[in-house]
Amino acid sequence: MIGKLMKKEWQEFLKTGKFYALIFVFLFFSILSPITAKFMPDVIKGLSQGITIVIPPPTWKDAFSQFFKNLNQIIFLVVVLLFLGSIAEEKNRGTASLIVSKGVNRRKWVIAKFLFQFILITLLLIVSFFLCFYYSIILFPDTMIDLPLSGTILFLIYIFFVLSLTIFSSSIGKDLLQAGGIFVTVFVMFNILSILPKVKDYNPMTLSSIESQWLMSGINWDTAVKPISSTILISLVLIYLGALHFHKQELE
Amino acid sequence: MSVIKAEGLCKYFGNKKAIDGLNLEVPEGVVFGYLGPNGAGKTTTIRLLLNLARPTKGDAYVLGANIRKDRSYLKKVGYLPDVPNFYNFFTAREFLGFIADITEVEDSKKRIEETLELVALRDEKKRIGTYSRGMKQRLGLAQALLSDPPLLILDEPTSSLDPQGRKEILDLVSSFKGKKTVFFSTHILNDVERICDRVAIIKEGKVLLEDTIDNLKKRYSSHLFLIDVDKPEDLAKKIKGLPWVKSISRRNKREIIIDSSDILLAQKFIPYIILKENLLLYRWEILEPSLEDIFIEVTSQ
């Protein structure tokens, strides 16, 4: 049943053009990141009009630093906007009640949506990473693979959390607006919690700062064990709570 | 065997009692009209039966399954919502393909073509988003019928359809008599009168009456008389104010309609008065009320 429900999600993504929007954003920024890193110093120098600006020569680390920045900002935003309404909008439109009135298991429906989203993002992320790596090698022949690959794995775990939070918000909210409100509230809460030193090590938000740290000073899995394990645990709890709430929720 | 059975079913939203101790039995193979004014609790009843909402109190059984404990019966129910909304990016054929997938319809391609043929959408290639209300209603019926369920729950299926669309839907529903059980919620009395075998009238979350349409007409017809006399005003003057006369109304120049609270007294006294006043009687008829008359009478009590 989960496979059949995921097939519908895929058809929806193709037919509504969401897939093309997503693939464009992923590919565009994965190509743009190394190009920006390589040529931005020249652009800045060209615009300086006589003022001497000393910019260190760009390296492949700048390319991936730019890549992670784009992932954490623009791609994060696009992913959230595309997936936040996945359940809430169906509830609002009435298609959710039509489907569950056919005896479709509600928990499976939520899990199918999450799995589809996670698999899609994982595939796009793999393609993006290798595209960024390919252009980096062309522009910076000394590009290494282990550091950026590890950072990308960390981002994948982080996006696992983000997607679980969107599915949780979408399961609880009655429409896109409510789902958005829940998402922002929980997301801000995690950001505030990351200030507290004791909680910081267990906070999913820490993962994005570790990506940059690793890029600059090398991989240290010991620093990531706590945030990775707690992020996976928190994400699974969020999916479980979302599915549980939707299972009991009254639909219009 | 009852296909739907509700026992003291209640649904409260805070202090508002949307359904209040509902008792209902829908026998197998009938087209069952579920009538009520707007806000009576028709859609809430359907939401409870389909497990889209949870009862506050009471029990209900659909196809023998307790709706509180078991959701498996939903696979045997076809449901048409009052405002059908689908995935607008699909064509009708693609949408039915998805429904066939999740309801595990056997030989789905053949069944989809048969169902599209039945609702006259077989040649339709456009996306659902471009459909008119009538086409969506027909597609709604198609998805409800696709798995050939023994029970159809139709929530106001003809509201906002043009006369031709209404006729098509009603003819189709009527053709299921004896083959499927149809629970037909509506406030359009003509539709019920045309196709339903049994009817329940609901108001403020309670069933006010439930019976066959023939029985209802018999039950409610006995107190209305049409009398055609040469001087109806004289007859009206003589019987006005008698304890068994509830109201007198004029239909045309010679005919009056008398609403009586006691049929036996009316049958004894009116001929006597006609004779005594030397009136000429042309016609005496016990009127059969329309479902609308019954509905108004029952819901205004």
Side-chain angles (χ1 to χ4, degrees):
Chain A
M1 180 57 78
I2 287 180
K4 289 170 185 169
L5 294 167
M6 283 170 73
K7 185 180 149 197
K8 176 251 150 193
E9 296 298 315
W10 171 241
Q11 287 173 318
E12 176 171 358
F13 245 69
L14 277 182
K15 286 174 182 288
T16 54
K18 286 178 183 173
F19 175 70
Y20 304 105
L22 204 57
I23 201 164
F24 172 77
V25 174
F26 266 90
L27 300 188
F28 179 74
F29 285 104
S30 52
I31 296 169
L32 191 71
S33 299
I35 294 172
T36 313
K38 179 76 179 175
F39 299 110
M40 193 50 86
D42 294 338
V43 173
I44 293 170
K45 276 179 193 167
L47 293 171
S48 62
Q49 293 178 332
I51 304 161
T52 312
I53 299 172
V54 181
I55 301 170
T59 67
W60 64 269
K61 288 189 179 182
D62 295 314
F64 276 97
S65 174
Q66 191 69 39
F67 177 64
F68 289 132
K69 209 178 279 175
N70 288 330
L71 285 180
N72 281 298
Q73 292 170 359
I74 298 162
I75 290 175
F76 162 84
L77 195 67
V78 171
V79 166
V80 171
L81 288 177
L82 281 181
F83 292 131
L84 195 56
S86 63
I87 296 174
E89 273 299 281
E90 290 221 28
K91 282 189 276 190
N92 194 30
R93 277 202 311 257
T95 45
S97 55
L98 189 71
I99 300 308
V100 301
S101 76
K102 300 208 169 288
V104 168
N105 184 304
R106 294 184 184 207
R107 290 192 197 100
K108 283 184 183 169
W109 198 58
V110 173
I111 289 165
K113 282 191 180 274
F114 176 79
L115 279 180
F116 165 75
Q117 294 168 6
F118 184 64
I119 291 169
L120 181 69
I121 295 300
T122 304
L123 293 174
L124 286 174
L125 198 60
I126 291 168
V127 173
S128 301
F129 170 77
F130 282 107
L131 204 59
C132 183
F133 182 71
Y134 174 74
Y135 277 91
S136 290
I137 273 210
I138 292 172
L139 298 170
F140 310 100
D142 60 337
T143 301
M144 290 166 70
I145 195 165
D146 57 342
L147 287 178
L149 183 63
S150 306
T152 307
I153 292 169
L154 284 187
F155 180 76
L156 186 64
I157 296 166
Y158 174 68
I159 210 77
F160 182 74
F161 161 74
V162 172
L163 288 175
S164 66
L165 183 55
T166 58
I167 217 83
F168 169 79
S169 312
S170 204
S171 301
I172 291 177
K174 283 186 177 169
D175 52 34
L176 189 60
L177 201 66
Q178 271 192 18
I182 295 164
F183 181 88
V184 170
T185 307
V186 179
F187 193 74
V188 167
M189 202 181 75
F190 273 105
N191 271 295
I192 292 169
L193 285 173
S194 67
I195 302 166
L196 303 170
K198 283 184 182 174
V199 185
K200 194 183 168 188
D201 288 347
Y202 299 94
N203 198 320
M205 300 300 153
T206 312
L207 290 175
S208 50
S209 58
I210 296 176
E211 287 160 17
S212 318
Q213 276 174 31
W214 283 7
L215 207 55
M216 296 305 150
S217 49
I219 302 165
N220 179 7
W221 284 105
D222 290 344
T223 58
V225 171
K226 282 180 190 170
I228 286 175
S229 46
S230 60
T231 298
I232 293 171
L233 188 70
I234 290 167
S235 305
L236 293 175
V237 169
L238 284 172
I239 297 164
Y240 174 75
L241 290 177
L244 188 71
H245 186 273
F246 184 67
H247 184 72
K248 293 181 175 174
Q249 197 169 37
E250 299 199 346
L251 300 174
E252 294 297 325
Chain B
M1 180 202 154
S2 298
V3 172
I4 296 174
K5 190 176 184 185
E7 292 173 344
L9 197 65
C10 298
K11 180 65 185 173
Y12 304 155
F13 297 104
N15 291 330
K16 191 181 179 298
K17 294 179 176 178
I19 298 291
D20 190 17
L22 187 95
N23 293 304
L24 194 68
E25 279 203 45
V26 179
E28 194 175 359
V30 301
V31 178
F32 190 94
Y34 196 53
L35 267 174
N38 290 331
K42 301 188 295 292
T43 299
T44 306
T45 309
I46 288 175
R47 286 177 63 226
L48 290 172
L49 295 176
L50 291 168
N51 226 300
L52 297 172
R54 287 177 180 275
T56 310
K57 274 194 288 182
D59 278 305
Y61 302 85
V62 178
L63 297 161
N66 186 328
I67 61 161
R68 284 179 181 275
K69 295 172 185 166
D70 185 2
R71 285 181 177 176
S72 62
Y73 70 90
L74 290 169
K75 288 192 186 295
K76 297 178 208 157
V77 180
Y79 163 53
L80 172 65
D82 54 346
V83 184
N85 279 307
F86 310 106
Y87 299 109
N88 289 337
F89 50 86
F90 276 141
T91 63
R93 198 168 268 99
E94 288 166 344
F95 177 67
L96 292 187
F98 167 58
I99 299 295
D101 264 359
I102 59 170
T103 50
E104 291 159 353
V105 173
E106 284 175 19
D107 199 2
S108 60
K109 279 189 180 166
K110 189 180 163 211
R111 181 69 193 145
I112 289 168
E113 293 308 316
E114 282 171 1
T115 314
L116 285 171
E117 181 77 50
L118 196 66
V119 297
L121 285 174
R122 195 167 179 178
D123 298 326
E124 202 52 65
K125 303 254 184 316
K126 286 183 286 183
R127 289 190 176 194
I128 298 168
T130 63
Y131 281 15
S132 67
R133 177 72 201 265
M135 288 164 83
K136 282 189 178 176
Q137 206 79 5
R138 280 187 278 145
L139 179 60
L141 204 55
Q143 60 80 29
L145 288 168
L146 189 67
S147 61
D148 196 19
L151 171 63
L152 281 176
I153 295 181
L154 312 177
D155 193 2
E156 313 229 1
T158 54
S159 59
S160 74
L161 288 182
D162 60 29
Q164 182 61 27
R166 258 180 70 193
K167 185 183 176 301
E168 285 167 9
I169 297 273
L170 291 177
D171 287 348
L172 196 57
V173 174
S174 194
S175 71
F176 301 141
K177 273 187 190 181
K179 297 173 201 159
K180 292 181 188 296
T181 308
V182 183
F183 187 79
F184 185 95
S185 144
T186 186
H187 60 264
I188 304 172
L189 299 156
N190 284 342
D191 292 355
V192 175
E193 204 158 8
R194 217 177 115 189
I195 64 164
C196 293
D197 307 298
R198 288 185 76 85
V199 63
I201 296 178
I202 175 178
K203 189 187 174 190
E204 291 168 359
K206 284 186 173 132
V207 171
L208 300 181
L209 64 85
E210 182 195 332
D211 212 333
T212 63
I213 292 184
D214 286 346
N215 282 349
L216 284 179
K217 285 186 173 175
K218 277 179 204 153
R219 201 196 305 177
Y220 283 85
S221 67
S222 54
H223 55 82
L224 285 176
F225 296 94
L226 182 143
I227 300 173
D228 185 355
V229 284
D230 58 341
K231 291 173 187 165
E233 61 281 0
D234 289 359
L235 176 64
K237 212 184 283 176
K238 285 286 168 191
I239 60 172
K240 196 176 173 188
L242 291 172
W244 45 269
V245 176
K246 280 163 76 182
S247 68
I248 304 164
S249 54
R250 243 348 233 278
R251 180 181 267 191
N252 56 37
K253 210 174 169 186
R254 275 194 345 211
E255 291 173 351
I256 56 170
I257 293 171
I258 299 163
D259 185 357
S260 161
S261 58
D262 190 325
I263 181 173
L264 293 175
L265 282 175
Q267 281 174 322
K268 264 186 199 168
F269 279 95
I270 292 173
Y272 172 72
I273 292 165
I274 289 172
L275 188 66
K276 197 178 159 200
E277 295 300 313
N278 201 24
L279 302 172
L280 192 57
L281 178 67
Y282 295 105
R283 194 166 137 223
W284 167 285
E285 186 184 339
I286 296 175
L287 284 181
E288 186 181 75
S290 66
L291 191 58
E292 190 172 344
D293 297 327
I294 298 170
F295 180 79
I296 290 167
E297 185 173 338
V298 170
T299 54
S300 61
Q301 275 167 5

